[in-house]
Amino acid sequence: MSEKEEQVRGRETVNALQDADGTTIPTTRIAENTYPPQDGGKQAWLFLFGACIIEITAWGFPYCYGVFEAYFNSHPPFQGQNLVSIGGVLSNGVLQLSLPPIMYYVNNFPGHRIAVMWAGCLVCTFSAIAAGFAKTPLQLVMAIGLCYGIGAGMLFAPSIHLMAEWFKVKKSLAYGFICAAGAAAGAGLPPVYTFCLNRYGYKVTLIGWGIITFVVTSLGLLCVRPRLPVAAKPPPPSWRDFDFAKKPLFLIMLLATIVQAIGHYGPSLYLPSFAADFGISASQGAMLASFLNLAQAIGQPLQGWLADWRKSYYIPMLISTIGASLEALLIWGFARNLGLLCLFALAFGSTAGGFAVLRPRFAAEIVGDQDQQDNQSLLVFAILAASRGSAIIGSGFIMKNLVHEGSSTEGWGGGQAWSQLVIYTGVIMFTASFGAIGMFVGPQRRYGGGRAKSMTSEKSSNAVDNSSELV
């Protein structure tokens, strides 16, 4: 359907709808509005471009932190301070932990979404600048981990809420491109950060990064706007929004998400340091981090497309868990030179990163009747992300105790120094594949009627363009 035809369709909306309790809602105002098309058209792609820039700000830095960690551990004033190694993990974890409260807020105050994102941009900017003036490891971690993570969450959550209006059929593909933008930043920025750190030091690098963050993110925010007018009075919150927590499928997906998260970030955090123990230079170690993120930027849209095409998340889930496990045990375990480490970075990045793209599909499958339970889908997405964030924070402390830098590197997996981390990554990623058993307890099998009710409500849902559906 062309953009013009879909706008005409918006003017032909029915005159009355019913809400969940059967109350008739006049829709004269809806009929008078015309809306840009979903899943395509100039404005949808412009929104996606802006959302990708926001993603780069929110997620790009945690993907690059391995380079900073290697620099901090080898240069004063943070040399030898183990606490600085958790900065990237903390930022990533806090970002995801902040999503449920922020999503809950924009659910109830959708008119504040753009303002929240501008506030997040300012928090990220000043956090990076403040980190440049840090004198102790705790100050550095608080600025670059805790504060930056909060600001990134304020950017990311409203963008997901808005994306629900712009993409429906192509939701996994669109989300894959947004995730890939952060990964692409992780691929391109490590060599730049390495050059700046070695040339100018951490203070100038972090202050400059903060200023650039504000300029670039502001440009992205100018491209982001709602597709639909904000409702005068959003539906009031209800405890019924949380009844998905009783479903076995929710518990399965929650546990699978946590398990996958605690094993995923080892390579991105420690690969440059692993390479350094085998005589590989800092610039080549940064290149490995770039390859890891570049492969993720390619693999995430492909796995999102596969989930859309198959209308199922099971195949991408198995690829991102079992595939990543085999790569860790069979490639990383035997890697001793730059060639094999590059192969591992490309393979692991292209598979393991795809798990994050599947969260919208997890939420849709858990809720079942998505047309009737829009707020639940948003809450499920945010809670899954928060559980992942909690696991990521915990994994930073776990992996720190598995790595013994300075010990012998003789033997499989990097010897005493690294073999525990390699085994941990492989076993945990394989364990996360158990989430595929969700195909036997999906809502259409245990809570029947959700899909059928979606079909009966399709006409009325299309009339309002499903303004709150989770992408």
Side-chain angles (χ1 to χ4, degrees), residues 200-223:
Y200 304 110
Y202 79 94
K203 183 174 183 178
V204 173
T205 300
L206 290 171
I207 293 173
W209 166 42
I211 295 171
I212 293 172
T213 291
F214 177 77
V215 173
V216 174
T217 309
S218 297
L219 294 175
L221 288 172
L222 294 176
C223 299

Side-chain angles (χ1 to χ4, degrees), residues 78-403:
F78 309 115
Q79 187 174 6
Q81 300 289 331
N82 289 335
L83 184 62
V84 299
S85 66
I86 70 169
V89 171
L90 182 62
S91 175
N92 195 319
V94 169
L95 189 169
Q96 297 183 75
L97 281 172
S98 69
L99 294 184
I102 297 173
M103 191 72 79
Y104 185 83
Y105 179 83
V106 297
N107 242 357
N108 290 280
F109 301 96
H112 297 176
R113 290 174 294 187
I114 302 299
V116 170
M117 286 193 283
W118 277 106
C121 174
L122 292 175
V123 173
C124 288
T125 297
F126 288 112
S127 297
I129 293 174
F133 292 96
K135 301 299 183 182
T136 68
L138 181 60
Q139 292 173 351
L140 180 72
V141 169
M142 287 295 99
I144 217 169
L146 178 63
C147 295
Y148 192 91
I150 293 171
M154 295 170 69
L155 278 169
F156 181 68
S159 72
I160 292 297
H161 203 282
L162 288 166
M163 192 170 64
E165 299 178 5
W166 288 102
F167 291 93
K168 178 181 177 181
V169 176
K170 299 178 181 178
K171 57 186 173 183
S172 295
L173 178 63
Y175 189 55
F177 275 118
I178 288 177
C179 290
L189 291 178
V192 176
Y193 285 143
T194 298
F195 173 81
C196 292
L197 287 168
N198 291 330
R199 181 73 177 270
Y200 304 110
Y202 79 94
K203 183 174 183 178
V204 173
T205 300
L206 290 171
I207 293 173
W209 166 42
I211 295 171
I212 293 172
T213 291
F214 177 77
V215 173
V216 174
T217 309
S218 297
L219 294 175
L221 288 172
L222 294 176
C223 299
V224 171
R225 67 187 185 114
R227 175 176 171 265
L228 303 171
V230 177
K233 186 178 181 181
S238 169
W239 285 110
R240 293 175 59 190
D241 292 337
F242 296 91
D243 61 11
F244 59 81
K246 302 175 183 177
K247 299 182 179 182
L249 183 59
F250 170 73
L251 300 177
I252 291 171
M253 291 298 103
L254 182 67
L255 187 57
T257 298
I258 292 172
V259 171
Q260 198 270 350
I262 64 175
H264 180 200
Y265 282 93
S268 62
L269 184 59
Y270 286 106
L271 203 55
S273 299
F274 181 95
D277 274 3
F278 290 93
I280 295 171
S281 67
S283 60
Q284 290 173 326
M287 182 181 68
L288 290 173
S290 296
F291 281 170
L292 189 72
N293 291 299
L294 178 62
Q296 185 166 312
I298 296 171
Q300 286 182 323
L302 289 176
Q303 294 198 54
W305 169 82
L306 181 60
D308 282 339
W309 176 58
R310 299 279 301 180
K311 297 295 186 291
S312 170
Y313 57 79
Y314 301 110
I315 293 177
M317 172 183 269
L318 294 175
I319 291 173
S320 62
T321 53
I322 294 178
S325 172
L326 294 175
E327 290 152 5
L329 297 174
L330 301 180
I331 303 178
W332 193 14
F334 294 97
R336 296 291 183 277
N337 55 59
L338 183 61
L340 278 179
L341 287 173
C342 286
L343 176 63
F344 169 70
L346 291 170
F348 191 85
S350 63
T351 54
F355 193 93
V357 178
L358 305 178
R359 280 198 298 261
R361 285 288 173 194
F362 294 166
E365 189 75 5
I366 290 166
V367 170
D369 186 4
Q370 200 171 357
D371 290 337
Q372 299 296 315
Q373 303 179 58
D374 307 322
N375 289 342
Q376 280 198 343
S377 292
L378 289 164
L379 285 171
V380 169
F381 179 93
I383 289 171
L384 290 177
S387 68
R388 182 176 178 82
S390 302
I392 288 170
I393 292 175
S395 73
F397 295 98
I398 294 172
M399 291 184 292
K400 182 170 70 72
N401 291 316
L402 296 176
V403 172

